[in-house]
Amino acid sequence: MNQADDNKQLYKKAPIYIIGIILLCSFIVYTYFFFQHPGSNFIQPTDAEIQQQLENGEISERIAMLREHTWKYGSRDAYLYTKMANQIIEDGVYGYNTDGKSNAFVTPGYPIILVVLFHIANILDVDQMTVVKLFNMLLSLGTILLIYLIGAKTFANRWIGIVASALYAAYFTPLHYFRTSLTEIPGIFFFCLAIYLFLLALEKNNKIFHFLFAVVFCYGVMIRPVIAPLVLIAFAILLVKYRHQLKTWIVITGVWAFGAAVIIAPWVIRNFIMFNEFILLSTHSGNSWFAGSNPFDLYSFSDYWKEQAELGMDSKEYAIMKIKEGFENNFGLWFAWFTVGKTYELFKLPDAIYFYTAYSYVNIFKLIHNIIVNLAFITTIVSFITRKKEAIAIAAILIMYIGLSNLFLTIPRYGFFIIPIMCILSGYAIVTIIKKVVNIIQGLKVLRG
């Protein structure tokens, strides 16, 4: 074998070696954050500090009580999730932010994971959050690998997968969230796993892969319900692929329906039996509608709460009323809010970076965030102009997610969820640009030669 053949073989194997290096480096960084545990929100406040904040009116009695716990779990919501899981284990009561009463405020995907992890921790007699962090670390590393696999399979180019996975591995926010008991890390992992299973199902046309896709995607929905309508993109792709094979399309959609029923039906049946009403996902969407109905924070939420109470409406009814009034009376303002305004709020900074302002590396991670986000948006626009169908399919996920998110409260925490998709788009753009530059240089060499 000559030198040229050796170089070709090395080039073919290089992506495998590189993804291995990326995963190893990521493991080292995650291990450092696991043991060092940086971040101001993970520092336990003293009783004196909490009391001082109470006296200064900075926090309420309820927040003061929660602050005694949130440093361990990462946030108020994280603490409430752990409290919910322990309540399920100890009392057999499924209810979020409630004392001994059942509710359907959150979907069961993440609470079930916590219950399993807490059982493992109790059996091993170790701290519950230690098991949660180790589990999240594995899922985060798995997400990096899945991004590589998705990028490589979607564009039939492993280098796109490499660049995309490297971008996500260099992104800061997962390093924060893997140490919390929140839905972000598991939600992103199951979402990426569902996308990869869908790609395998399309490639192999195997009922098992279609069933697994439906099960995994729906379990992801049970963790983060906002992604549920994204299945319409999968349906559209399926319709195009099998537009001349109606029988095949019907069989596959039937398999999807069965997989969805396996995951979602028990939850719906439980809710109907307990509350005598049809609750497909959860009952807390009204809060997100309400929180997202104040354009650019121009109005006082205290006035909102007062008016809502006077009208006797629930949060969702009141929010929809305000949105309708807003579009009727000041269309420009409200249109700007539900498009550019809310999108900006999703991606204005890498989430959780505000807990690390004392560290010198903050600006580096902000730069990485801006590169990923801006390049992804540019790639989305270019993909529709060039009609690159693979890029359009990935871009459609981003567009639809933003559109769905913009109906509700938009904060960087929710923007983080779609960063893997942005990394894939950015990876595609970077590799495409490099290839074009190389081709231009080679063309110039030929002309000069």
Side-chain angles (χ1 to χ4, degrees), residues 92-111:
V93 175
Y94 184 96
Y96 180 84
N97 196 18
T98 181
D99 294 317
K101 292 184 179 180
S102 296
N103 63 29
F105 195 74
V106 297
T107 45
Y110 188 58

Side-chain angles (χ1 to χ4, degrees), residues 164-399:
S165 63
L167 288 171
Y168 188 76
Y171 196 71
F172 176 77
T173 308
L175 292 170
H176 172 84
Y177 274 107
F178 94 92
R179 293 171 288 141
T180 72
S181 53
L182 287 166
T183 62
E184 271 63 31
I185 298 300
I188 289 172
F189 174 81
F190 278 96
F191 181 53
C192 290
L193 180 58
I195 293 173
Y196 183 61
L197 287 170
F198 176 71
L199 293 173
L200 287 177
L202 280 183
E203 179 183 67
K204 301 179 182 298
N205 193 24
N206 187 304
K207 294 185 181 65
I208 295 297
F209 283 112
H210 281 293
F211 175 75
L212 290 174
F213 159 69
V215 168
V216 172
F217 179 80
C218 289
Y219 196 82
V221 170
M222 289 290 100
I223 297 174
R224 293 295 293 269
V226 72
I227 68 171
L230 292 177
V231 76
L232 295 175
I233 296 173
F235 270 113
I237 293 172
L238 202 67
L239 190 60
V240 172
K241 182 176 176 63
Y242 297 109
R243 59 188 179 276
H244 301 305
Q245 298 170 268
L246 181 61
K247 183 179 178 181
T248 303
W249 185 83
I250 292 172
V251 170
I252 292 173
T253 53
V255 171
W256 286 10
F258 178 67
V262 168
I263 299 300
I264 299 175
W267 171 244
V268 174
I269 293 169
R270 174 260 185 189
N271 291 335
F272 188 79
I273 292 172
M274 295 203 69
F275 309 114
N276 198 31
E277 63 176 306
F278 176 77
I279 301 173
L280 179 61
L281 296 175
S282 68
T283 59
H284 90 293
S285 63
N287 292 343
S288 296
W289 278 98
F290 183 89
S293 62
N294 187 352
F296 304 99
D297 292 324
L298 291 176
Y299 307 108
S300 168
F301 271 116
S302 60
D303 293 336
Y304 272 31
W305 290 323
K306 182 179 178 181
E307 184 179 22
Q308 179 188 341
E310 290 173 351
L311 295 173
M313 293 180 169
D314 64 28
S315 296
K316 186 174 181 179
E317 290 174 333
Y318 180 77
I320 291 175
M321 181 196 75
K322 296 299 292 185
I323 293 169
K324 287 181 178 178
E325 288 180 353
F327 274 99
E328 289 173 358
N329 299 327
N330 195 340
F331 179 84
L333 172 68
W334 283 77
F335 180 78
W337 172 238
F338 272 85
T339 51
V340 178
K342 287 195 173 189
T343 302
Y344 171 76
E345 291 297 322
L346 280 175
F347 303 111
K348 64 182 179 182
L349 47 76
D351 193 34
I353 202 73
Y354 32 80
F355 294 122
Y356 301 83
T357 52
Y359 296 90
S360 58
Y361 50 69
V362 168
N363 288 332
I364 296 173
F365 286 112
K366 285 182 178 179
L367 176 63
I368 293 171
H369 170 81
N370 289 333
I371 291 171
I372 292 171
V373 170
N374 291 318
L375 193 53
F377 280 128
I378 293 170
T379 307
T380 296
I381 295 169
V382 173
S383 67
F384 281 94
I385 296 172
T386 59
R387 299 183 181 181
K388 176 72 172 176
K389 60 182 180 181
E390 295 86 357
I392 289 174
I394 299 296
I397 298 173
L398 174 62
I399 293 169

